[in-house]
């Protein structure tokens, strides 16, 4: 089977364990030859801790390791051969990250000093590892959402466009810090509020029927339904020029279209 090797030493680890890069490489080559495996390449990291993590990206912060992942993404290998699993990780968090990446590419770990080890082997720690992996994924999604929210809040405080899809009646150009009125859609918004003022007792369905009778269409060029009419009526303050974003209010941010 096709395999690749991985070796690592840190300043303290090399002195303590005696696992020099050349020693690890020789052991991996000999072991693969004994097993009849096709060793394609050996990736290495020198002077880097096995517990180092990029906290922002939530990934293993090693150049050699990342190069190995790039190779796994472009070619099929069945296993990564190491002298000991400690060459891949030195902490539980790194172990979780390594398992996640290897499972993504369908690659197992073959450890010379731990011949029965497998990332797919079922043991009680699997529940912890799988749970941590799910938590990490959820954390990443939440972190991205929070960063976007902070950026939009900042823009709103400065009187700028906070991003996202522009409301019906407006248009946003890429790279611009403000939104503009869409004249065609604005006339439809004005008509909805005009009808509501003229016929306050009309239901949403009746308003939608009249909008369609007057040949107005939605942003997608379709007929109005009571849902689209309600969305417009519910955003009356926005269309009057009061822009709301979370707890932030920006008076006169947009030119009123009603």
């Amino acid at each position: 089977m096709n395999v690749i090797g991985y070796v690592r030493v840190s300043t303290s680890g090399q002195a303590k364990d005696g696992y020099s890069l050349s020693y690890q490489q020789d052991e991996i080559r000999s072991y693969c030859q004994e097993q009849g495996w096709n060793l394609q390449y050996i990736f290495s990291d020198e002077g880097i801790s096995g517990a180092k993590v990029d906290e922002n990206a939530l990934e293993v912060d090693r150049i050699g390791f990342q190069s190995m992942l790039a190779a796994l993404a472009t070619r099929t290998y069945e296993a990564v051969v190491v002298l000991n699993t400690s060459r891949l990780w030195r902490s539980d968090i790194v172990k979780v990250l390594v398992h996640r990446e290897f499972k993504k590419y369908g690659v197992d770990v073959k450890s010379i000093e731990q011949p029965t080890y497998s990332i797919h082997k079922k043991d009680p720690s699997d529940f912890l590892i799988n749970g941590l992996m799910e938590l990490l994924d959820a954390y990443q999604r939440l972190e991205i959402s929070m960063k976007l929210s902070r950026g939009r809040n900042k823009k709103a405080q400065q009187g700028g466009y906070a991003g996202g899809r522009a409301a019906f009646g407006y248009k946003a150009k890429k790279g611009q810090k403000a939104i503009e009125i869409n004249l065609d859609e604005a006339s439809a918004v004005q008509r909805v509020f005009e009808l509501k003022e003229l016929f306050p007792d009309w239901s949403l369905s009746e308003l939608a029927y009249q909008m369609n009778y007057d040949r107005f269409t939605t942003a997608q060029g379709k007929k109005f339904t009571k849902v689209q009419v309600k969305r417009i009526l519910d955003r009356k303050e926005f269309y009057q020029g009061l822009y709301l974003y979370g707890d932030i209010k920006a008076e006169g941010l947009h030119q009123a279209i009603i």
Side-chain angles (χ1 to χ4, degrees):
M1 65 179 181
N2 292 328
V3 301
I4 53 178
Y6 178 77
V7 298
R8 180 190 62 80
V9 293
S10 61
T11 303
S12 59
Q14 183 174 352
K16 179 180 178 181
D17 303 324
Y19 289 161
S20 67
L21 289 178
S22 59
Y23 172 76
Q24 294 177 57
Q25 291 168 350
D26 290 343
E27 288 294 301
I28 289 174
R29 291 191 183 97
S30 297
Y31 188 75
C32 289
Q33 186 174 6
E34 292 173 3
Q35 301 298 320
W37 296 342
N38 184 19
L39 177 64
Q40 298 287 306
Y41 193 83
I42 299 178
F43 293 87
S44 65
D45 278 307
E46 184 174 4
I48 300 178
S49 169
K52 190 174 182 181
V53 174
D54 183 337
E55 295 182 357
N56 292 323
L58 274 180
E59 61 183 24
V60 178
D61 191 8
R62 293 179 233 151
I63 295 177
F65 184 87
Q66 291 300 323
S67 297
M68 179 174 64
L69 292 184
L72 293 177
T74 58
R75 187 170 178 179
T76 301
Y77 297 98
E78 295 183 54
V80 174
V81 184
V82 293
L83 180 65
N84 189 289
T85 56
S86 65
R87 301 303 89 202
L88 285 168
W89 58 76
R90 276 287 194 180
S91 68
D92 289 337
I93 185 65
V94 177
K95 180 180 180 180
V96 170
L97 295 174
V98 171
H99 275 217
R100 180 175 64 174
E101 294 297 332
F102 282 8
K103 286 183 178 180
K104 181 193 303 182
Y105 299 116
V107 176
D108 202 356
V109 172
K110 296 297 182 181
S111 172
I112 298 173
E113 296 182 349
Q114 301 151 292
T116 62
Y117 185 85
S118 169
I119 65 174
H120 305 293
K121 186 177 180 180
K122 298 298 181 181
D123 61 60
S125 65
D126 283 346
F127 293 100
L128 174 61
I129 291 174
N130 292 332
L132 286 173
M133 289 171 66
E134 292 177 1
L135 286 173
L136 284 173
D137 289 335
Y139 172 80
Q140 284 181 313
R141 291 193 296 269
L142 180 60
E143 181 71 9
I144 292 172
S145 177
M146 290 179 65
K147 287 180 179 179
L148 289 175
S149 179
R150 287 195 294 267
R152 289 174 178 171
N153 278 334
K154 186 67 174 179
K155 284 186 178 180
Q157 288 173 326
Q158 296 173 346
Y161 175 48
R165 176 182 288 184
F168 183 70
Y170 293 98
K171 58 184 177 181
K173 292 184 179 180
K174 188 175 182 181
Q176 292 189 354
K177 296 182 179 180
I179 57 177
E180 302 174 356
I181 292 176
N182 183 318
L183 295 179
D184 292 334
E185 294 180 0
S187 61
V189 174
Q190 290 171 334
R191 182 56 174 164
V192 169
F193 286 102
E194 182 181 279
L195 289 172
K196 183 62 177 176
E197 186 174 349
L198 291 172
F199 308 102
D201 295 330
W202 275 16
S203 66
L204 293 174
S205 296
E206 289 173 320
L207 291 171
Y209 176 84
Q210 187 62 44
M211 288 293 293
N212 295 325
Y213 181 82
D214 293 339
R215 297 186 177 181
F216 287 102
T217 59
T218 65
Q220 291 75 35
K222 298 181 179 180
K223 291 185 177 181
F224 272 88
T225 67
K226 62 181 183 180
V227 175
Q228 279 92 10
V229 171
K230 185 176 187 303
R231 285 175 181 169
I232 292 174
L233 293 175
D234 286 347
R235 306 192 74 174
K236 183 176 181 179
E237 289 185 332
F238 176 85
Y239 289 120
Q240 287 178 324
L242 176 63
Y243 182 42
L244 306 176
Y245 186 80
D247 296 329
I248 298 170
K249 297 183 179 180
E251 298 280 359
L253 180 60
H254 305 308
Q255 181 180 352
I257 63 175
I258 63 171

